[in-house]
Amino acid sequence: MSDIWDLEPHDKVLEIGTGCGYQTAVLAALAGRVYSVEVVPDLSRRAEDTLARLNTSKVHLNVGNGREGWANHAPYQAIMVTAAGPYVPGKLAEQLDRGGRMIIPVGPPGGPQNLILMTKDEKGALSDEVILPVAFVPW
């Protein structure tokens, strides 16, 4: 997922689903700043400890509903969603910067899901491309 984006060192990234913090650390190595939202408080605390040990000062964590994004720091040049839902949340699309891209698994739990790459052009119009079939945990 990180490779598809072609991140730049100045990009501001929103990650939905911090989990253990592994992907967050990868994003921190590739981008300027990473804002990551995790719905499970215990996972967020563990990720915070792990990321602190790795000295990843460019990472900011929040516990909350990832479908809402993190509007205080928007817009983002890239948004990564690491759990599948039946649709692309409108709040995330709103927080995507012009020229930005979002990668998100879309589909029902246990059903056919696709990894979608969404891009927002300079006028604010969204387009999407199916990258490949996937199987992710549900939001």
Side-chain angles (χ1 to χ4, degrees):
M1 290 173 71
S2 299
D3 185 48
I4 290 169
W5 273 345
D6 194 25
L7 289 173
E8 297 290 333
H10 62 274
D11 283 344
K12 182 170 40 167
V13 176
L14 174 62
E15 177 191 38
I16 304 301
T18 312
C20 67
Y22 177 83
Q23 180 64 52
T24 313
V26 170
L27 293 173
L30 299 172
R33 287 171 285 160
V34 178
Y35 295 86
S36 187
V37 179
E38 174 58 55
V39 71
V40 180
D42 286 342
L43 271 177
S44 185
R45 280 190 292 278
R46 281 194 282 168
E48 184 176 24
D49 292 344
T50 300
L51 293 164
R53 283 194 310 273
L54 295 172
N55 232 3
T56 53
S57 61
K58 300 188 298 184
V59 173
H60 309 277
L61 302 178
N62 188 27
V63 175
N65 180 345
R67 289 177 293 230
E68 299 295 315
W70 197 344
N72 294 357
H73 300 285
Y76 301 95
Q77 286 75 48
I79 299 175
M80 176 183 285
V81 182
T82 61
Y87 58 88
V88 176
K91 297 262 184 178
L92 295 181
E94 289 171 12
Q95 293 174 34
L96 189 61
D97 199 4
R98 292 173 190 255
R101 54 246 182 255
M102 176 177 5
I103 190 146
I104 181 170
V106 177
Q113 299 173 354
N114 286 302
L115 191 62
I116 307 292
L117 176 63
M118 296 191 72
T119 55
K120 185 181 273 191
D121 69 19
E122 294 303 323
K123 294 181 180 178
L126 290 168
S127 61
D128 59 65
E129 172 188 356
V130 174
I131 302 298
L132 69 143
V134 293
F136 276 75
V137 299
W139 346 296

